[in-house]
Amino acid sequence: MSQTLSKKTGSIYLLFTRYVSQNILGMIGLSAYVLADTFFISQAEGSRGITALNLVLPVYSLIFAIGAMIGSGSATRFKIHRARKEDCADAYFSNAICFALLFSLIFMAIGICIPDKLVSLLGGNEEIVAVGTSYTRIFMSFAPFFMWNHIFNAFVRNDNAPSLAMAATLFSSLFNIVMDYILMFPLKMGMKGAALATAISPIVGILICSLHFLSRQNSIRFCIMRPSIRRLIQSCQLGVAAFVGEISSGVITMVFNFLILGLAGNVGVAAYGVVANTAIVATSVFNGVAQGAQPLLSDFYGKGNKKSVKKVFFLSAGTALVLSVLVVMFAHLSAETITSIFNQEQNVQMAEYAVAGMKLYFIGYLFAGFNIIGTGFLSATEKAVWSFVTSILRGFVAITAFAFFLSLLFGMTGVWMAFPASECLTAAVMCFAIYKSQSF
């Protein structure tokens, strides 16, 4: 009996290590092209380009968030029903594909018809609108592929093929980085080239994920069926954590852009662009842990194996704690170096804002890692209400309230401290939510 338990425990460790390590690599790869975009744009357009990129980032985050919510939630439902051997599991993939297309049509219409007005609405002056319009038009026109990429990746990962999902993410990001350089510099396409490279990269990811459908291990089926709003709602209930994980960076960026424009102008927004885009990589690490643990949590939960659910959760939380400390240390030691890479104009004021901001902002990851793991855990175990409450708190309510309040008291320092303050508050609520959910 003890040997059987030991083998089971060992297999959980191995599964956890396999899924989480591959998802961390995949998510870092996914975020790497955002940094590549920022770097190449800083080379080609200077601080104007970074400002334009940072102003439209909330729209980019919203597209990603909707795709993540539909994809992650539908794939979680698929995994739970498949573990219970229920036939309704087959409907979730087709439903997700159909509704992602419907939602993306809205973004396509705005991007094609009024991209300049959108950039202006987000805070761009005439100079920034001129730089950012073409970038916005191109990436919004490819909205369906961004959403479908999330869906394909989530389903392939949940269908016991995490290695292929990781490969799809890494190769699509590598393609983006290489094409960024080729289109922006040898072909001299500037911001249009950066947008085109970003827009095509999810197609690469979709094609690689599609290889899974040719394998014998595939259990995902595309069904010709009428789209079901009921299934969409059921999926989105479990995908809200993924939605907030993606959209929170966009909301934070929009709020911070508004406040920083009033406190420090375009130079301050450019500095925040450096901090925000570096933070995307840090967030991706913890999203990798949460997404890697999700198929295991959903599978054990669907089978009623509470002991294994508990073990996976504590493995995730412990991993997040170690990574949190490493991320904060890295930010404090490398702030000057990272800022100098993106500050090609050697703007002293921008450097001062960015270095101070990065050191203060990244303190929040001491709590953010646990919060991302916690919301993913609540979602994977069908605790939709608590997942929604904690997600909304960290992604919208707390960060917005702290940003306005602390900036009023401490100016730019208050802006940077809003993220740590909101994550600390959310961590306290998260502990209560996990305790009350009685998932163990």
Side-chain angles (χ1 to χ4, degrees):
M1 179 71 177
S2 61
Q3 286 183 339
T4 302
L5 183 61
S6 178
K7 287 181 180 179
K8 186 179 291 186
T9 300
S11 66
I12 291 174
Y13 282 125
L14 290 174
L15 282 171
F16 178 83
T17 301
R18 177 187 172 212
Y19 273 77
V20 168
S21 62
Q22 291 178 347
N23 273 278
I24 288 175
L25 287 174
M27 291 305 295
I28 290 175
L30 184 64
S31 63
Y33 74 76
V34 177
L35 279 183
D37 257 359
T38 306
F39 174 71
F40 288 132
I41 288 171
S42 71
Q43 298 285 314
E45 301 287 347
S47 60
R48 295 182 312 158
I50 297 178
T51 301
L53 178 66
N54 207 47
L55 287 179
V56 300
L57 190 62
V59 181
Y60 192 76
S61 296
L62 181 58
I63 294 173
F64 263 61
I66 294 174
M69 177 174 63
I70 296 174
S72 178
S74 299
T76 300
R77 288 288 183 192
F78 163 81
K79 187 69 173 179
I80 292 172
H81 289 299
R82 184 67 81 217
R84 294 171 179 168
K85 303 186 184 304
E86 296 172 349
D87 292 337
C88 62
D90 291 334
Y92 284 96
F93 179 70
S94 307
N95 206 58
I97 293 294
C98 293
F99 276 103
L101 176 61
L102 291 175
F103 283 118
S104 64
L105 292 176
I106 301 171
F107 293 99
M108 292 176 68
I110 295 173
I112 292 170
C113 299
I114 52 171
D116 53 337
K117 290 181 173 57
L118 178 61
V119 178
S120 178
L121 180 66
L122 292 170
N125 56 25
E126 290 185 10
E127 183 182 25
I128 302 302
V129 169
V131 173
T133 295
S134 60
Y135 186 93
T136 306
R137 175 180 285 117
I138 292 171
F139 88 76
M140 290 187 70
S141 298
F142 282 75
F145 298 102
F146 289 118
M147 294 188 188
W148 286 338
N149 188 36
H150 269 288
I151 294 168
F152 272 74
N153 201 279
F155 271 87
V156 168
R157 184 175 62 248
N158 276 261
D159 201 33
N160 302 315
S163 297
L164 185 62
M166 176 196 68
T169 303
L170 290 177
F171 278 105
S172 65
S173 297
L174 180 62
F175 171 88
N176 192 354
I177 293 169
V178 172
M179 291 307 296
D180 251 339
Y181 174 77
I182 293 173
L183 295 175
M184 291 187 73
F185 297 103
L187 297 183
K188 302 184 185 304
M189 293 180 65
M191 292 287 282
K192 291 181 181 178
L196 195 58
T198 298
I200 297 175
S201 64
I203 300 176
V204 176
I206 292 170
L207 292 175
I208 294 174
C209 282
S210 297
L211 296 175
H212 178 69
F213 297 95
L214 304 176
S215 71
R216 293 181 179 179
Q217 290 75 30
N218 172 53
S219 68
I220 305 168
R221 298 177 183 87
F222 186 87
C223 309
I224 304 299
M225 50 169 281
R226 180 182 299 175
S228 168
I229 295 178
R230 180 178 62 84
R231 284 197 181 93
L232 175 68
I233 294 173
Q234 289 176 340
S235 299
C236 289
Q237 286 175 336
L238 300 187
V240 68
F243 176 85
V244 174
E246 292 289 346
I247 196 62
S248 61
S249 63
V251 172
I252 294 168
T253 299
M254 189 161 59
V255 171
F256 281 28
N257 284 343
F258 172 78
L259 294 172
I260 292 172
L261 278 171
L263 292 169
N266 284 342
V267 174
V269 173
Y272 176 59
V274 175
V275 176
N277 284 294
T278 307
I280 287 174
V281 179
T283 300
S284 73
V285 172
F286 300 107
N287 283 336
V289 178
Q291 290 185 16
Q294 178 267 310
L296 301 178
L297 289 167
S298 296
D299 187 53
F300 290 135
Y301 174 77
K303 294 175 180 176
N305 189 344
K306 291 187 176 182
K307 288 185 178 179
S308 294
V309 169
K310 183 177 180 179
K311 187 173 292 294
V312 172
F313 169 73
F314 281 113
L315 282 171
S316 302
T319 302
L321 177 61
V322 173
L323 291 174
S324 295
V325 175
L326 293 176
V327 164
V328 174
M329 288 175 60
F330 176 79
H332 276 70
L333 295 173
S334 306
E336 290 84 357
T337 303
I338 294 171
T339 300
S340 65
I341 292 172
F342 298 103
N343 188 17
Q344 294 301 310
E345 298 172 342
Q346 301 298 312
N347 189 312
V348 176
Q349 190 175 26
M350 174 187 166
E352 290 177 354
Y353 283 139
V355 170
M358 193 173 298
K359 290 181 178 180
L360 291 172
Y361 189 94
F362 270 67
I363 294 173
Y365 283 103
L366 291 173
F367 311 101
F370 173 72
N371 293 334
I372 292 170
I373 299 303
T375 53
F377 165 74
L378 293 169
S379 175
T381 54
E382 292 190 298
K383 303 301 182 293
V385 174
W386 278 115
S387 177
F388 176 79
V389 169
T390 53
S391 296
I392 291 298
L393 179 63
R394 75 174 293 262
F396 301 99
V397 179
I399 187 66
T400 302
F402 277 117
F404 278 98
F405 177 69
L406 293 178
S407 66
L408 191 63
L409 294 178
F410 306 112
M412 285 294 289
T413 300
V415 174
W416 303 130
M417 287 302 298
F419 178 65
S422 65
E423 293 293 346
C424 180
L425 174 63
T426 303
V429 176
M430 183 65 67
C431 290
F432 180 76
I434 292 172
Y435 170 76
K436 291 294 291 184
S437 69
Q438 298 180 345
S439 299
F440 301 144

